[in-house]
Each structure stands twice: as C-alpha cells, then as structure tokens.
C-alpha cells in the first residue's frame, strides 16, 4: 500500500506533468528486475529476483525517476532522474527558461553495495538511457518538449554519449531539421543507434515543414560518427512505448506504432 494513493498532493493525482509512476529494467544475466516507484514523497528503487519472490536490494531516492538501465555486466544500474521536477519534487513544467533542473540527473549505482559510483548532469532534459554493449558508453536522448520551438532549437534535440565511469560527455549525435527525441535503441553489436525523430512538437508558426511526407520518423545513425545510415517513415512508439528495437544479430530494426494510428496507416 502506498501513501501516495491517498495523498491528494501526490503527483499520482496530478494529471498535468506527473512523473512516470514506475520504471523497470531486466538484467540480461538472470532476469533480475530493477523497479523504481514514484508513488510516494520518497521514491524507491527495488531489486527483485527473476520470479519476484525475493527482494534483493532497496534504496530510497529524493527525486522522481524517469528510467533505469542495467550495465551489460549486471553489476551496475544507471538511474535517470526526471528533469521536470526540482529537488523538492516541485513540477517546473516544460518552460525552457526553467527546464531542465540544474541538478545531476544521471546516477550510476553499484548493485551489491548500493554505493553511488558517479553522478553527473547530462545537460538534458532526457527521457531514456541505454548502455553500449561493452559498457563503455551511456547513451541519453532528449525528452519531448511541448512548447514553442524556433528552427534553431532543433539541433538541441540530440543523443548524448557519456562515459559512465567519469561522467564525461564523449560525443553528441544530431539530425538536422528534425532533431532526435524521446526513445532510442543501441544495436547489440554497438555499431548503430536508432532514434525517434517524429514525436510531435508544438512549433512557432512557419518554423517547420508541415508536409507529413517530409517528416522523418526513425533515424539510424552510426554510433561512432553520428552519420545517418537511413531514415524511415515507419513511426516509432510514443515515449514509454515499444520504441525502436534491434534484433539480436543487429540486422533488423523493429518499430512500434504509437496510439492513435488508424488501421489504414499501419
């Protein structure tokens, strides 16, 4: 039972701008489950066995959590905090003059000890994180914004690549005209990154081509250079949805359609 369910000030009842209620991730080695709950005033992270019968670890956190991601060796967890809330868990919205909150929004945790190995600020806001297959890089992708954009803002929507060991920004991957935002996938061989480039944005008038045929949906980039390999008009899922997924051999890219698409469009 969660006190947040009966607290009318809890973000669970805030229909505008509420944080994700939970985030979860599976460990590749044994399917152990990492779960983050944002129900209460003090969000918590839980680690459960694969059959959910044993709670292996739990840690309290002071900020709302957007995403969790296991390192490839299963020894660490990366935690992405929501940039829409400050340290008092006050919603700051999507006002570009206030967002993102200037706090470290990415934390690397040692799973066995619960020790924070590294904290750093991504320069976000970010909506999703993913490790490279060798664990040497951590990818983040920009969170969807819903206020006005100027054409000069598009390249602010990007994939940022960090060293999880030092927190250093290694490189940025950008796509002109559309930007990249909301969901991403890294191929199992580490050669490619697929990013969402279609999530709707509100733009100031006359700053975006409104022809649907001219809008990219998913873009595949070379992970090392950011070179665009191809663009596809098959739309990815909306934030928190299925998103783009690579097959285990990295030869296929699967995209999920977001809600609201008609049968004729699929």
């Amino acid at each position: 039972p969660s006190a947040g369910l009966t607290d009318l000030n809890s973000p669970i009842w805030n229909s505008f701008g509420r944080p994700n209620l939970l985030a979860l991730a599976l460990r590749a080695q044994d399917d152990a489950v990492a779960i983050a709950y944002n129900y209460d005033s003090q969000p918590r992270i839980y680690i459960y066995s694969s059959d959910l019968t044993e709670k292996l670890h739990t840690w309290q956190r002071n900020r709302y959590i957007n995403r969790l991601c296991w390192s490839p060796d299963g020894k660490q967890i990366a935690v992405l905090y929501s940039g829409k809330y400050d340290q008092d868990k006050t919603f700051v919205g999507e006002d570009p003059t206030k967002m993102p909150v200037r706090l470290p929004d990415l934390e690397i945790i040692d799973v066995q000890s619960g020790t924070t190995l590294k904290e750093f600020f991504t320069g976000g806001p970010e909506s999703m994180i993913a490790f490279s297959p060798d664990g040497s890089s951590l990818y983040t992708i920009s969170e969807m914004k819903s206020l006005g954009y100027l054409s000069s803002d598009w390249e602010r929507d990007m994939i940022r690549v960090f060293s999880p060991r030092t927190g250093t920004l290694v490189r940025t991957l950008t796509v002109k005209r559309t930007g990249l935002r909301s969901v991403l996938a890294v191929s199992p061989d580490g050669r490619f990154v697929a990013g969402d480039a279609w999530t709707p944005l509100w733009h100031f008038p006359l700053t975006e081509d409104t022809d649907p045929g001219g809008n990219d949906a998913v873009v595949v980039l070379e992970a090392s250079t950011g070179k665009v390999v191809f663009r596809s008009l098959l739309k990815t899922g909306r934030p928190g949805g299925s998103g783009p997924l690579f097959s285990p051999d990295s030869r296929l890219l699967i995209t999920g359609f977001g809600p609201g698409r008609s049968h004729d469009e699929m």
Side-chain angles (χ1 to χ4, degrees), residues 11 25 35 62 66 109 136 142 156 183 247 250 255 262:
I35 307 172
N62 293 322
N66 230 2
I109 300 174
S136 65
S142 299
R156 296 182 188 177
V183 291
S247 62
S250 302
T255 64
S262 70

Side-chain angles (χ1 to χ4, degrees), residues 70-133:
W70 289 91
S71 63
D73 62 9
K75 296 179 179 180
Q76 301 172 5
I77 283 186
V79 181
L80 178 67
Y81 293 97
S82 175
K84 294 181 179 179
Y85 295 84
D86 64 16
Q87 62 268 34
D88 297 320
K89 290 181 282 296
T90 299
F91 179 63
V92 296
E94 295 175 341
D95 183 340
T97 65
K98 298 180 180 179
M99 183 180 179
V101 175
R102 300 292 175 179
L103 295 171
D105 58 349
L106 223 163
E107 180 182 13
I108 309 295
I109 300 174
D110 177 84
V111 174
Q112 287 302 315
S113 66
T115 302
T116 297
L117 302 176
K118 194 68 184 178
E119 285 184 297
F120 55 92
F121 176 54
T122 64
E126 310 294 339
S127 65
M128 190 172 181
I129 50 178
F131 275 97
S132 63

Side-chain angles (χ1 to χ4, degrees), residues 67-208:
R67 293 277 184 157
L68 298 173
C69 182
W70 289 91
S71 63
D73 62 9
K75 296 179 179 180
Q76 301 172 5
I77 283 186
V79 181
L80 178 67
Y81 293 97
S82 175
K84 294 181 179 179
Y85 295 84
D86 64 16
Q87 62 268 34
D88 297 320
K89 290 181 282 296
T90 299
F91 179 63
V92 296
E94 295 175 341
D95 183 340
T97 65
K98 298 180 180 179
M99 183 180 179
V101 175
R102 300 292 175 179
L103 295 171
D105 58 349
L106 223 163
E107 180 182 13
I108 309 295
I109 300 174
D110 177 84
V111 174
Q112 287 302 315
S113 66
T115 302
T116 297
L117 302 176
K118 194 68 184 178
E119 285 184 297
F120 55 92
F121 176 54
T122 64
E126 310 294 339
S127 65
M128 190 172 181
I129 50 178
F131 275 97
S132 63
D134 63 3
S136 65
S137 298
L138 189 61
Y139 293 82
T140 71
I141 192 166
S142 299
E143 188 169 12
M144 182 183 71
K145 298 181 181 178
S146 63
L147 290 185
Y149 263 46
L150 295 172
S151 58
S152 60
D153 289 326
W154 290 333
E155 290 192 19
R156 296 182 188 177
D157 282 335
M158 64 183 68
I159 292 174
R160 298 175 177 88
V161 189
F162 295 88
S163 164
R165 184 178 62 84
T166 65
T168 303
L169 177 64
V170 178
R171 59 186 172 276
T172 59
L173 310 179
T174 63
V175 173
K176 293 183 182 298
R177 188 174 61 79
T178 61
L180 290 162
R181 51 193 173 271
S182 299
V183 291
L184 66 82
V186 182
S187 65
D189 62 9
R191 294 178 57 197
F192 305 108
V193 181
D196 163 29
W198 86 276
T199 301
L201 297 173
W202 290 93
H203 289 262
F204 290 117
L206 306 178
T207 62
E208 184 180 25

